[in-house]
Amino acid sequence: GWLVLSAAAWLLAGCAADKPEPKPLEQFEPKISGRQVWVAQIGAVRFPLVPAARDGFFFVAGSDGTVRALAADNGRQLWLADAGAAIAAGVGTDGRFTSVVTRDNEVVTFDAKGASLWRKRVPAAVVSPPFVAGERVFVMTVDRVVHAFDALDGRRLWVYQKPGDPLTLAQPGVLVAYRNTLLAGQGVRLAALEPTRGTLNWDVPLASPRGTNEVERLADLVGPPIRNGNRYCARAFQSAIGCVDAERGALLWSRNVGGANAIAGDAERLFGSDGSDRITAWRADGGDVLWTNERFMNRGLSGMLAAGPTLVFGDAEGYVHFLSTATGDTQLRLGTDGTPVVSPPVASGSTLLVVTRDGGVYAFRQN
């Protein structure tokens, strides 16, 4: 498994080595007001953290193995847990069960009070957060094999494996639910699995990567995907963005677009940045370009979140930017601790959360 991971990590590191200077931040008049409502500390984050929001709480984890549930309204700690080893992926939760994966490839699951329930090893590295639903914990390893565990006792229920590509991506993939179906990214394909048995219902390619070698053809789906009703949209790494009708198992549209980060979106629009941090908005129902924004070029943007009328994301200097989803114009800018924003923003009610590389957990509210 390590060879797979290091190849993709090398690929991403190679892209980052010769980056041009970040574009200086523009001067602007704030169009909306917003403020930091609380801050917490979780210790350095050196893995692709995807925080979770559930039932009025945020679930976050630091590289050192600590996992926390924090109240979204005031940052009060509901519980603190320890995975017992450095964390490689997380956090997945349904509010009752919370799971992370350690660098030793151990899936560690906690109960609703943060007590450790069980730990089970998987045979390869994990970078995607576990998905917890229906008293099951689903884990996808970097070779795209999906493992299903009983959330109560860690019993292994099934394993789904299809012949994989030689190279896979060291970035969180797609693992979500549509009604009673588990959706999993399998290379460029979105696969629908029956969650009790792990059998395949359908799979649909979101891209058709062209390239002369395995590195150029690497086009894994990057999660989390964007859902609106039965429409799921996602990015295929450096290749395309596309949308699938999960009810019919059919591709709605796909458009050749570069970029490595997960996309954001709402009912009407999808948003994403490319390899040079140019931001684009597309129509969600067909992929037409609505606007582009080149004011954040090479600023090391985080994943994004569409929160009502604003698009929210962080950058490598720890700034959090709020743009109009309709026009792409800057509405507000707020600071953190000056280290890169490493998590995509997540929302619980009116509270938005970002996490920095140094482990600052910042909660903001737009007024």
Side-chain angles (χ1 to χ4, degrees):
W2 67 270
L3 201 122
V4 166
L5 192 60
S6 57
W10 165 83
L11 175 74
L12 291 173
C15 300
D18 43 12
K19 274 220 164 155
E21 283 293 299
K23 193 159 189 171
L25 288 174
E26 59 175 342
Q27 298 293 313
F28 73 100
E29 282 292 320
K31 311 281 194 305
I32 58 173
S33 61
R35 63 197 168 87
Q36 177 187 311
V37 285
W38 54 264
V39 61
Q41 184 65 37
I42 53 169
V45 178
R46 300 277 187 266
F47 68 98
L49 170 66
V50 182
R54 187 79 192 214
D55 306 330
F57 290 91
F58 290 117
F59 298 80
V60 292
S63 290
D64 62 359
T66 53
V67 186
R68 284 177 172 80
L70 303 170
D73 57 356
N74 59 13
R76 176 180 57 82
Q77 186 169 286
L78 176 68
W79 54 256
L80 165 68
D82 186 356
I87 291 178
V91 180
T93 189
D94 64 356
R96 183 177 163 204
F97 301 102
T98 299
S99 291
V100 294
V101 186
T102 71
R103 285 208 197 135
D104 306 327
N105 308 344
E106 271 198 321
V107 184
V108 185
T109 298
F110 307 96
D111 69 12
K113 293 192 170 82
S116 179
L117 283 174
W118 52 267
R119 34 198 330 129
K120 280 287 163 67
R121 198 176 294 269
V122 288
V126 178
V127 288
S128 302
F131 179 68
V132 185
E135 296 199 345
R136 289 178 174 81
V137 176
F138 302 98
V139 175
M140 185 165 64
T141 48
V142 290
D143 52 8
R144 310 191 191 96
V145 179
V146 181
H147 303 259
F149 299 92
D150 186 308
L152 290 158
D153 58 15
R155 225 162 14 98
R156 198 181 299 262
L157 301 172
W158 52 260
V159 176
Y160 174 80
Q161 180 167 10
K162 76 173 191 52
D165 300 314
L167 201 61
T168 63
L169 191 63
Q171 246 179 283
V174 171
L175 196 60
V176 293
Y178 169 68
R179 296 192 179 165
N180 295 325
T181 307
L182 181 71
L183 303 181
Q186 299 281 300
V188 298
R189 307 181 80 85
L190 185 64
L193 304 178
E194 204 287 317
T196 55
R197 295 189 303 277
T199 49
L200 181 68
N201 290 345
W202 51 258
D203 70 343
V204 177
L206 264 70
S208 46
R210 291 179 293 278
T212 54
N213 59 44
E214 286 158 5
V215 171
E216 289 175 3
R217 288 192 297 269
L218 180 64
D220 282 16
L221 299 187
V222 180
I226 298 303
R227 176 182 183 181
N228 182 54
N230 54 359
R231 180 176 68 206
Y232 281 78
C233 304
R235 180 189 293 284
F237 177 76
Q238 295 294 26
S239 174
I241 57 168
C243 295
V244 168
D245 181 335
E247 190 63 44
R248 297 185 294 124
L251 181 70
L252 294 169
W253 59 267
S254 175
R255 183 174 280 262
N256 291 343
V257 172
N261 281 343
I263 56 171
D266 54 28
E268 291 165 29
R269 306 175 188 91
L270 300 175
F271 310 93
S273 58
D274 66 12
S276 14
D277 290 326
R278 177 186 296 102
I279 303 167
T280 303
W282 300 271
R283 273 181 63 127
D285 60 6
D288 295 337
V289 173
L290 294 169
W291 53 258
T292 58
N293 179 331
E294 299 192 347
R295 295 190 291 274
F296 300 91
M297 300 285 277
N298 309 307
R299 291 198 58 83
L301 302 187
S302 73
M304 300 178 169
L305 174 72
T310 51
L311 178 68
V312 188
F313 54 90
D315 70 16
E317 292 178 344
Y319 289 108
V320 180
H321 305 277
F322 298 74
L323 271 53
S324 160
T325 55
T327 63
D329 294 332
T330 300
Q331 308 289 295
L332 181 67
R333 180 191 304 149
L334 297 169
T336 59
D337 59 17
T339 66
V341 174
V342 290
S343 75
V346 290
S348 175
S350 60
T351 308
L352 299 170
L353 184 99
V354 300
V355 180
T356 67
R357 180 170 294 162
D358 278 4
V361 181
Y362 289 85
F364 299 106
R365 218 164 276 152
Q366 302 175 67
N367 298 345

